[in-house]
Amino acid sequence: MLIAGFPAGAWGTNCYLVAPAAGEECVIIDPGHQAAEGVEEALKKHRLKPVAVVLTHGHIDHVASVVPVCGAHGVPAWIHPEDRYMLSDPEKGIGRSIGMPLLGELTVGEPDDVLELADGARLELAGLELSVAHAPGHTRGSVTFRMPETAEIPSVFFSGDLLFAGSIGRTDLPGGSMDDMLASLARVCLPLDDSTVVLSGHGPQTTIGQERATNPYLRQVAAGPGAHADAPRRGM
């Protein structure tokens, strides 16, 4: 298994290229702001051929390079239907202008081929299996992607801005909801094995076991109704 990741752009959003091995087909996850150059470098370094872009949600820091990346390689982009509108109108996703200088660097709009994700779907792409879980809270259309455990590696969980090392995504932007976020943490994250590797939208990798033990929000939902967490949240 090959997972090449790098933080991109003004928000340090993690973009991942995932393939069975070097020299094979790959999936690109969340090519965000100023990610196109890093994607091309990783493709060349590992001799990869992209077959699809998959998006954890529609915020501009995760989708800003979707049009150039998909266009350069003639591949589709997958996104949940409730976040699709942000591809063409990113300002609606953050509730304010992100600034003309930044907008001038972006190619806003949809790529030629957009496919919609559904909760519980299993995507078979590039010889990989990605299980999709709808996980609203950060946005209405947030999703996660999980790859099954194998004899060689533990399960890998691409959490987007649902779960970070020590924190969770913010819920104060349009479409955000703390109630939905906590419900998603309980439904999507708590059932995962402790050995599951978490690769999130921002920051370092972690594991479900580490977050179950130390993340105040995951501890809150594990404790049940009435528990409370008071810690900073992250993401755009």
Side-chain angles (χ1 to χ4, degrees):
M1 178 66 62
L2 170 67
I3 301 177
F6 61 92
W11 296 280
T13 303
N14 290 327
C15 175
Y16 300 100
L17 290 81
V18 189
E24 299 195 22
E25 293 181 335
C26 75
V27 173
I28 301 169
I29 301 175
D30 287 357
H33 184 232
Q34 297 178 340
E37 182 177 350
V39 166
E40 295 305 317
E41 290 175 355
L43 291 173
K44 182 177 180 180
K45 176 180 179 180
H46 299 290
R47 298 173 287 109
L48 300 173
K49 175 180 173 54
V51 299
V53 167
V54 297
L55 302 169
T56 62
H57 62 288
H59 280 160
I60 194 66
D61 60 325
H62 289 251
V63 307
S65 296
V66 168
V67 170
V69 168
C70 288
H73 299 281
V75 300
W78 292 79
I79 191 168
H80 192 276
E82 291 200 62
D83 275 14
R84 182 170 177 171
Y85 71 94
M86 294 187 218
L87 294 174
S88 299
D89 197 350
E91 290 188 13
K92 282 188 177 179
I94 56 176
R96 59 177 173 79
S97 171
I98 58 178
M100 291 307 296
L102 181 56
L103 279 174
E105 301 173 9
L106 305 178
T107 306
V108 176
E110 293 191 355
D112 290 339
D113 190 5
V114 178
L115 303 172
E116 294 187 347
L117 298 165
D119 185 41
R122 291 191 178 183
L123 304 182
E124 295 185 0
L125 300 167
L128 306 168
E129 180 183 302
L130 298 174
S131 297
V132 180
H134 185 209
H138 183 60
T139 67
R140 291 190 183 94
S142 289
V143 302
T144 64
F145 303 104
R146 184 173 60 85
M147 298 174 58
E149 179 180 7
T150 69
E152 293 78 24
I153 61 169
S155 179
V156 178
F157 180 60
F158 297 95
S159 63
D161 285 6
L162 172 66
L163 180 69
F164 302 128
S167 188
I168 60 172
R170 60 190 294 180
T171 59
D172 59 336
L173 296 176
S177 164
M178 178 54 78
D179 287 343
D180 288 347
M181 175 69 79
L182 295 178
S184 291
L185 290 170
R187 181 176 63 87
V188 177
C189 297
L190 283 185
L192 300 177
D193 290 341
D194 283 352
S195 61
T196 301
V197 175
V198 179
L199 299 178
S200 61
H202 301 270
Q205 78 174 50
T206 184
T207 66
I208 289 294
Q210 175 69 16
E211 298 313 299
R212 200 189 308 275
T214 63
N215 188 303
Y217 298 97
L218 210 56
R219 288 169 60 92
Q220 175 186 351
V221 295
H228 178 69
D230 184 12
R233 285 165 278 162
R234 300 176 58 189
M236 173 182 261

